[in-house]
Amino acid sequence: MDRRTTIKWMLAAAASAPLARLPHLSAAQGSGEAKPYGTDPRLADRTYAPGDLWPLTFTPAQRQLATVLSDVIIPADATSPSASAVGVIDFIDEWISAPYPEHRDDRKIVLGGFDWFDAEATRRYSKKTIALDTNQLHAICDDICYLPKARAAFAEAATFFARYRDLTAGGFYTTPQGRKDLRYIGNIPLPRFDGPPLEVLKKVGLA
Amino acid sequence: MPFVDAEAAAKRNYDVIVVGSGAGGGQMAYTLTMNGARVLMLEAGRKYDPAMETAMFQTPEMAPLRGSGTPDKPFGFYDATVDGGWQVPGEPYVRSSEEHEGRFEWWRARMLGGRTNHWGRIALRNGPYDFKPRSRDGLGFDWPISYEEIAPYYDKVEMLVGIYGSNEGLENTPDSPAGCLLPPPKPIVSDLLIQKYGRTLGLPTIACHRAVLTQPLDWKNSPAKLHPGNAFAQGIIARDMQRRMACLWATPCGQGCSVRANYQSTTVHLPPALETGKLDILTDAMVAEVILDKHGNATGVRFVDKHAGVSREVSARVVVLAASACETVRILLNSRTAKFPHGLANASGKVGKYLMDTVGSDLAGQIPLLENLPPHNEEGASGAHMYVPWWQYKTAEKLGFPRGYHIEFGGGRRMPQYYTSSGMEWLTGGSYGAKFKEDARRYYGSIVYFAGRGEMIPNEDSYCEIDPAVKDKWGIPVLRFHWKWSEHETRQAAHMQKTFADLIGAMGGRLQKPAQTDGAKAIAPGGSIIHEVGGVMMGDDPQRSAVNKWCQAWEVKNLFVADGSPFPSNADKNPTLTIMANAWRVADHILDRMQRKEL
């Protein structure tokens, strides 16, 4: 196989990979017990979706709340859709349901944070989070969005918000839409590597 | 012949058994079989075929947890390592300390090709000083060989494997003869900024040396240099070189390379070795001990056939251990007989001693100059295009620590990962909403990471031994590790932090947190850089070393080691290229001795 043929084949393989996805296994089909995927999972010949490997956690109410919070962090704008529109809620559900120590810790933080948020919304506005208007939602977020400046009473909530923002961003920017938003270019075979274009060198003072 | 089962292997006659299939074992098997020796390679892990199994172009959303690392796949879901990690199920190890300062981490990969499937591909030559360190500063040990003795093997390995780099004529940073190196890839913009601002601090930023084909290998000229007078070998390697593609400038090397553009034992050493018809490979064969006859010569090894769960034996004229430094120590110490009650090659009591890793310390900075750059492809050869070799040989005595380190760095608009836009509060002040999306765009690609990789001086407190109680699931006694850094290393780690902070500052960058001034906190735990070497030190004196300059056991003349275990020192240069060059040198010696009927 010559180089040109291989590159064509690679491109075709990359483009068709999602078609190789196995039928989605719903969480209900699992045994109910989350098992690690082990040290030798299938890599090249299948793709995975949340719920394929271990049962998910969110109740419908938790999904609604997760959607509100993820979308307040990453809303739709002129460049890209909102977090929830590209599967971030499923990803966060997969994450907090995963059978590994780090994820079990995050499970406590996230579910605890959900409870706190609803309690806080009720305390301030006598509503659940999902019923808040934008100003009310932002008022709470503003108090907890930056741990170093949060009041002591909000420290735990700020820790949750930082973690939840990382999970939301982690889920969002690893999608095709998220990569496009960052204007990432790559993962395509090239015949040669040219280094930075002149306009880049000029911008940083190297040309 | 190629892949055999345990019963077939037990029935055949071999010249050499090679235990391990990584950089050392791969090179050993390659050199031996290309010169006609019949070799049985034993690998503890499973068969692995990079052409079929590599997840090259997969993107994070196709993987569980967006491909982020877990205890099952610590370096990410698509990392090429299977059945490996900091812990291997059923194969524990013991350590005397869990504290940061005294902890040792042991990375293993139970698969064909071992850790070469995963490594960073940085392939630096040791320099002349690095073979005679004790002669220069009175610390540690000299090697029983010089740079001049191993240099021809560096040449060959570079031509065979395919290493990009440049010749800069810098002190103790050897140039390669013409025809050895491939041209380096063009620097990315952060490389060029580091070069520019590093110069103001006296740092030489030059092309890194990595095992990635930036162009096809020279299959017309190199074979005759690799195998003079051996038309058989020349023909095989000329054909195989043409089957390897040059880099596609996409996908992370750590996920493996199905087109064989980078070095893995499974992409470079094993295919031509198999084509000779002289190599049998037996996978899932966990070697427990070397077997001796009544004269004290090695006759073969005993291994656990993982499929059958039973012990079996195979035999050969020569046994070479290349199981990785610590695993080789384990096999030697577990090979106890009435004549050798403390294990093989261990009359000196030195087996397991003087374990070394690399001094490692990292720091990241955010560089405003790199914000909001016009989008462009920065993937290149996926790893370092440039690096900074150790630059302070002339002023070493003023630094307060011996030896030195090189600087690896990374940056660029890489494929966004789970962590790419995480933890940005220190830059954003906790933004969310539309502002967060703007911040993510602004800071993407503007972070530069620096990693120091320096030389550790071997010491009496860093070693491994057989734990008296714990066994693995195959019933084989396991290793217990002891680790201690000295001030030589911790001072160096603190120096790394200061250097990186100065460089980030010179670039106009910002640090997330101040550089760590306490070297004991700045230094990465022992083993965590995965450069562990030593434990079966080569030397000139049987009282103070385990093997001679040919890596031949002083006490068992047909037993050799060919991984990182015989290293008497661990230069800042990453050890893999030296493991391969040394394995080729030892293989040549074995072939010579076999030809003279001395083995």
Side-chain angles (χ1 to χ4, degrees), chain A residues 3 6-7 10 14 17 36-44 47-48 53-54 72-77 79-81 87 91 94-95 98 100 103 138 141-142 145-146 162-163 165-167 169-171 173-176 179 181-197 199-201 203-206, chain B residues 46 52-66 68 70-73 77-79 82-84 89 186-189 192-193 196 245-251 258-259 369 371-380 385 413-418 421-423 425 429-434 436-437 440-441 444:
Chain A
R3 184 181 173 80
T6 305
I7 289 178
M10 285 282 172
Y37 53 64
T39 55
D40 191 8
R42 287 168 62 186
L43 299 183
T47 62
Y48 298 81
L53 293 174
W54 45 77
V72 80
I73 291 166
I74 296 188
D77 63 7
T79 305
S80 62
F91 159 70
E94 176 196 41
W95 184 277
Y100 300 104
H103 305 84
H138 283 190
C141 289
D142 287 344
C145 69
Y146 189 44
R163 193 74 198 101
R165 178 169 44 209
D166 281 354
L167 288 171
Y173 292 110
T174 48
T175 60
R179 289 192 283 275
D181 181 301
L182 294 179
R183 301 201 290 172
Y184 159 76
I185 300 172
N187 207 40
I188 43 168
L190 300 174
R192 59 180 191 281
F193 180 72
D194 290 332
E199 60 169 330
V200 171
L201 296 177
K203 190 160 189 286
V204 300
L206 287 168
Chain B
R46 73 161 170 87
M52 298 302 295
E53 299 192 54
T54 304
M56 277 183 88
F57 287 93
Q58 274 79 349
T59 44
E61 80 283 7
M62 299 176 187
L65 304 170
R66 300 297 160 94
S68 58
T70 67
D72 286 334
K73 295 279 291 183
F77 188 74
Y78 287 130
D79 181 74
V82 297
D83 290 334
K186 291 205 171 70
I188 63 173
V189 61
L192 294 169
L193 282 181
K196 174 180 172 179
M245 282 184 52
C247 184
L248 300 163
W249 311 109
T251 83
S258 62
V259 300
L369 267 176
E371 291 173 16
N372 289 319
L373 286 185
H376 62 291
N377 186 321
E378 297 209 270
E379 297 199 318
H385 290 192
R413 302 170 64 88
R414 309 277 172 178
M415 163 98 67
Q417 300 295 326
Y418 155 75
S421 298
S422 291
E425 290 88 350
S431 66
Y432 64 91
F436 179 81
K437 292 179 89 168
R441 290 167 199 141
Y444 168 59

Side-chain angles (χ1 to χ4, degrees), chain A residues 30-63:
Chain A
S31 66
E33 188 194 347
K35 286 189 185 146
Y37 53 64
T39 55
D40 191 8
R42 287 168 62 186
L43 299 183
D45 62 345
R46 72 163 285 191
T47 62
Y48 298 81
D52 283 0
L53 293 174
W54 45 77
L56 302 180
T57 297
F58 285 163
T59 62
Q62 286 169 331
R63 280 192 73 86

Side-chain angles (χ1 to χ4, degrees), chain A residues 53-137:
Chain A
L53 293 174
W54 45 77
L56 302 180
T57 297
F58 285 163
T59 62
Q62 286 169 331
R63 280 192 73 86
Q64 280 187 305
L65 177 54
T67 302
V68 168
L69 295 182
S70 286
D71 287 354
V72 80
I73 291 166
I74 296 188
D77 63 7
T79 305
S80 62
S82 70
S84 69
V86 297
V88 168
I89 308 309
D90 291 333
F91 159 70
I92 294 175
D93 200 356
E94 176 196 41
W95 184 277
I96 65 148
S97 308
Y100 300 104
E102 176 194 356
H103 305 84
R104 288 191 172 123
D105 290 346
D106 282 337
R107 180 187 183 88
K108 288 186 203 128
I109 293 171
V110 168
L111 297 180
F114 284 2
D115 290 344
W116 178 88
F117 221 103
D118 265 344
E120 185 68 9
T122 305
R123 186 178 72 78
R124 291 196 199 184
Y125 306 110
S126 303
K127 296 183 204 171
K128 291 277 193 182
T129 306
I130 57 170
L132 298 177
D133 65 32
T134 304
N135 288 338
Q136 292 168 335
L137 185 59

Side-chain angles (χ1 to χ4, degrees), chain B residues 413-487:
Chain B
R413 302 170 64 88
R414 309 277 172 178
M415 163 98 67
Q417 300 295 326
Y418 155 75
Y419 49 79
T420 296
S421 298
S422 291
M424 293 201 304
E425 290 88 350
W426 69 286
L427 297 168
T428 65
S431 66
Y432 64 91
K435 175 67 166 42
F436 179 81
K437 292 179 89 168
E438 282 169 29
D439 286 337
R441 290 167 199 141
R442 173 180 173 187
Y443 296 118
Y444 168 59
S446 73
I447 309 286
V448 177
Y449 303 86
F450 294 93
R453 295 291 180 257
E455 180 163 356
M456 171 187 180
I457 312 294
N459 67 56
E460 301 293 332
D461 298 312
S462 297
Y463 64 99
C464 59
E465 61 188 343
I466 298 298
D467 188 88
V470 180
K471 294 179 178 178
D472 68 13
K473 68 175 170 183
W474 317 108
I476 305 169
V478 309
L479 288 175
R480 178 168 61 189
F481 291 95
H482 305 262
W483 195 262
K484 193 172 180 183
W485 296 112
S486 76
E487 284 194 342

